[in-house]
Amino acid sequence: MEVEEVWRGRWENCAHPLCHQYMLSAFKKKSAVVLAADFFKTEDLCAMINSVGEYITAIKTHVDMLEDFEQSSWIEVVKTAKKYDLLIFEDRKFADIGRVSKFQMAGLYDIRTWADIVTSHSISGPDIVDGIAASWDEVERVGGVLLLAQMSSRGNLLSENYSNNTIEIGLSSPHVLGFIGNGSSPEDISKLRSRVGEGKLIWTPGVNLSAEEGDLGQRYGHPSEAIKSGSDGIIIGSGIIHSEEPKAVAESYANVSWNALLER
Ligand code: 6AU
């Protein structure tokens, strides 16, 4: 089977180069798993990448969650991720005006120098995307933005109207490689996919093989359902990192995601 066959319309229609990098990597690894590496210590983060790296395609970080962040040790995280050919995705959820978001890509964490992908809200309007992109331009790197079109958390305020406006912003920007959708609801994902079309990726958090309620309002759906409804990447945190056997569990998530990709 060829990579085009797995991704069908998406392969031809997604213009952003990182979309293709992701699709190719998922094809090679037989995995559409994005690891949400929510750790407090850099060492634990590196250890988890080493444990599950062969079964995932990207690593999602919350760099400001680390208690021991230092540029020198962060380089190790980046090197470890590259060893497994992972895209690095900083889930910063930018939300400010374009100019400030541009500066927030630099600063202490200097996200622009190591992140391939970042998340952004669209609440402040379309210029936030240009601000983020300008920051990557300054360091001559290619990056892509995932806009939050939906969220997985209970009671979130992203109405259908807001979501549709977000899709409009995303579809008209070459810097947006896709959208975050609500992985806990196949119905929400289907709706999002039908509005987004084939030209952008959809990645979904709120996914777990045991679809019980998460902590503090997190909701979960099944990974297979999420992909069959139109998700291209399942973002898994607790399901893997809090399990007794992360490596074996990551392999199961990879298998479930790959089989669902082939079945859709
Ligand atoms: O699998 P979990 O519940 O342990 O982790 C889910 C991860 C967390 C959240 O920051 C993130 O997914 N997330 C996101 C994003 C953008 O990835 C959006 C959202 O609506 N819900 C959500 O949980 O690292």
Side-chain angles (χ1 to χ4, degrees):
M1 182 170 256
E2 302 294 320
V3 62
E4 298 90 321
E5 290 174 70
V6 174
W7 294 101
R8 289 199 228 117
R10 224 87 90 223
W11 184 263
E12 286 92 59
N13 287 295
C14 283
H16 199 292
L18 290 177
C19 288
H20 289 98
Q21 192 174 324
Y22 170 74
M23 288 188 274
L24 193 57
S25 169
F27 173 75
K28 284 186 186 156
K29 289 188 164 177
K30 296 190 167 26
S31 168
V33 176
V34 176
L35 181 77
D38 294 343
F39 287 102
F40 307 118
K41 300 272 185 254
T42 312
E43 200 185 340
D44 296 340
L45 178 40
C46 284
M48 185 56 68
I49 303 174
N50 275 320
S51 162
V52 306
E54 64 191 290
Y55 300 116
I56 61 175
T57 47
I59 177 178
K60 185 179 86 65
T61 55
H62 282 300
V63 70
D64 53 1
M65 200 188 263
L66 285 171
E67 293 163 356
D68 60 356
F69 177 84
E70 274 177 41
Q71 284 285 0
S72 55
S73 52
W74 189 253
I75 290 168
E76 285 311 308
V77 174
V78 175
K79 272 194 201 154
T80 312
K82 293 296 159 200
K83 191 165 85 186
Y84 295 97
D85 203 16
L86 305 175
L87 284 164
I88 305 179
F89 162 24
E90 167 58 21
D91 186 10
R92 172 62 177 74
K93 296 186 179 74
F94 291 98
D96 214 310
I97 59 171
R99 176 175 55 82
V100 169
S101 302
K102 179 181 163 195
F103 295 137
Q104 288 173 320
M105 282 283 282
L108 174 66
Y109 302 117
D110 214 8
I111 296 169
R112 61 190 179 161
T113 61
W114 50 265
D116 304 302
I117 296 169
V118 299
T119 40
S120 174
H121 284 290
S122 53
I123 186 82
S124 59
D127 292 284
I128 190 166
V129 174
D130 295 333
I132 294 168
S135 195
W136 272 312
D137 277 350
E138 279 186 354
V139 292
E140 298 179 0
R141 291 189 70 243
V142 175
V145 176
L146 286 171
L147 287 179
L148 284 113
Q150 296 173 342
M151 291 195 75
S152 63
S153 46
R154 183 169 61 89
N156 72 73
L157 304 181
L158 279 65
S159 67
E160 200 155 327
N161 190 33
Y162 177 94
S163 175
N164 289 340
N165 289 333
T166 302
I167 295 166
E168 213 172 291
I169 291 175
L171 292 183
S172 58
S173 171
H175 308 300
V176 171
L177 85 158
F179 300 94
I180 295 292
N182 172 18
S184 73
S185 161
E187 196 190 332
D188 281 3
I189 304 171
S190 300
K191 228 185 258 175
L192 181 60
R193 175 53 72 193
S194 70
R195 298 205 168 115
V196 167
E198 294 283 339
K200 306 275 183 195
L201 297 179
I202 294 174
W203 285 6
T204 53
V207 170
N208 198 302
L209 278 166
S210 91
E212 288 162 20
E213 183 98 348
D215 279 350
L216 297 170
Q218 175 70 303
R219 299 172 297 183
Y220 288 119
H222 195 276
S224 180
E225 295 286 304
I227 289 191
K228 287 181 191 165
S229 316
S231 166
D232 302 307
I234 46 169
I235 298 174
I236 316 286
S238 313
I240 293 175
I241 68 172
H242 296 154
S243 80
E244 299 278 307
E245 290 180 282
K247 188 171 180 166
V249 173
E251 186 178 9
S252 317
Y253 275 98
N255 290 339
V256 170
S257 69
W258 178 248
N259 290 332
L261 270 183
L262 295 184
E263 280 172 37
R264 72 181 184 186

